[in-house]
Amino acid sequence: MNAVPRYGALTMAVLLLGACSDGTGPDAADEAVRFDVAVMAADATLEDIAMWSQPFGFGPAPAAAPGRPGGHEGWGGEFSGTRSVVFYDANGQVQTAYDELTTAEIHISHEVMGEASREDWSVSLHREREMVVSGLAGQETHRTWNGSGREEVSSERTLEGGVRSYEAVGEFTYRDVVVPIPGTVPRYPVSGTVSRSVTVTISGPDGERTRTVLVVITFNGSSTATAVVNGEEYQIDLSTREGRLPLRRLRR
């Protein structure tokens, strides 16, 4: 089962390069990079939440995108992607179609790519996912998501003193994310984690530097998830409406 959906909005938050130009010194730069990656991870989490609420991880054509992004609005651009699925019964045998009682697992491959621009920004992105959703056989109440993926984001911003660019390459892993079945309210994951490792190279008037940021997102069934970003704790609002920033730093 294959489809090529069209995407009309950015599916990954663009790193907020302006934060890097506002601080001074290495500590300020590292804080800015950490926050930028935290925003990217929060936006990707909202995309995951929308994806997990669909019957097979995507909606019916033409709305076959994996989920509406969060965090930022006003981006134009063209996005395209592919996705394929394979259904399995409890014995591991491939099924020709989904059966609501006998299908036990769905294996999903997903890829999205595109470019966008806004004012003095430009961005290109590429994300791939390989996922397994299990616990489907019989009268299910919850589903469990596992899998992994990789992502690449290239972005530029024109500044008064020149051009600053980010090259971000990352990998992510879904570990036992338990989600209520589609149509259930509330629809937020009751447990599980998503781990992300992002290596960012920043180039600009002040030279080039590279940072690696580790993000662990934990779910507890509520409308908020906890994100620990290189030891710094943030909160992701999973109910954030489109156009709102989904992330806030927890002060201690």
Side-chain angles (χ1 to χ4, degrees):
M1 181 175 181
N2 295 280
V4 181
R6 301 298 297 175
Y7 296 80
L10 185 62
T11 58
M12 179 186 293
V14 175
L15 301 174
L16 304 178
L17 305 183
C20 288
S21 62
D22 293 337
T24 58
D27 292 341
D30 288 347
E31 168 66 21
V33 172
R34 183 168 60 230
F35 182 79
D36 293 346
V37 174
V39 172
M40 183 185 74
D43 186 79
T45 301
L46 293 186
E47 181 183 329
D48 287 335
I49 293 294
M51 177 181 65
W52 293 329
S53 70
Q54 301 296 325
F56 308 134
F58 48 84
R68 188 170 55 185
H72 300 282
E73 65 178 357
W75 288 87
E78 290 293 331
F79 294 87
S80 62
T82 62
R83 50 117 169 105
S84 62
V85 298
V86 182
F87 305 113
Y88 293 86
D89 64 19
N91 296 317
Q93 298 299 309
V94 175
Q95 297 179 310
T96 58
Y98 171 76
D99 185 285
E100 63 179 8
L101 293 180
T102 64
T103 297
E105 287 187 357
I106 305 174
H107 293 210
I108 304 173
S109 297
H110 180 265
E111 182 177 18
V112 63
M113 63 199 74
E115 297 182 352
S117 61
R118 188 178 84 179
E119 296 178 353
D120 54 355
W121 292 88
S122 64
V123 62
S124 64
L125 65 90
H126 182 198
R127 175 183 287 158
E128 299 175 346
R129 293 185 179 96
E130 293 291 336
M131 300 168 291
V132 176
V133 53
S134 59
L136 283 65
Q139 297 294 329
E140 57 178 318
T141 59
H142 292 78
R143 295 178 171 184
T144 301
W145 290 79
N146 284 281
S148 61
R150 63 186 305 274
E151 53 200 3
E152 300 176 4
V153 175
S154 299
S155 56
E156 283 190 354
R157 185 185 184 189
T158 303
L159 303 171
E160 186 174 331
V163 175
R164 190 185 302 279
S165 64
Y166 263 174
E167 296 289 335
V169 178
E171 298 180 346
F172 50 91
T173 303
Y174 305 103
R175 290 188 176 89
D176 297 327
V177 180
V178 179
V179 182
I181 60 174
T184 302
V185 178
R187 58 187 176 91
Y188 305 113
V190 300
S191 60
T193 62
V194 179
S195 301
R196 314 184 87 89
S197 176
V198 181
T199 299
V200 183
T201 299
I202 311 101
S203 303
D206 300 327
E208 182 177 291
R209 59 187 181 275
T210 300
R211 300 288 186 271
T212 297
V213 181
L214 303 177
V215 184
V216 178
I217 299 167
T218 304
F219 303 100
N220 63 6
S222 71
S223 61
T224 59
T226 300
V228 178
V229 186
N230 275 8
E232 190 73 32
E233 192 169 324
Y234 297 85
Q235 190 175 74
I236 302 173
D237 182 358
L238 304 179
S239 64
T240 301
R241 291 179 294 176
E242 188 175 4
R244 301 284 184 87
L245 185 68
L247 183 78
R248 71 181 181 89
R249 182 176 177 179
L250 295 181
R251 302 289 181 180
R252 295 187 181 276

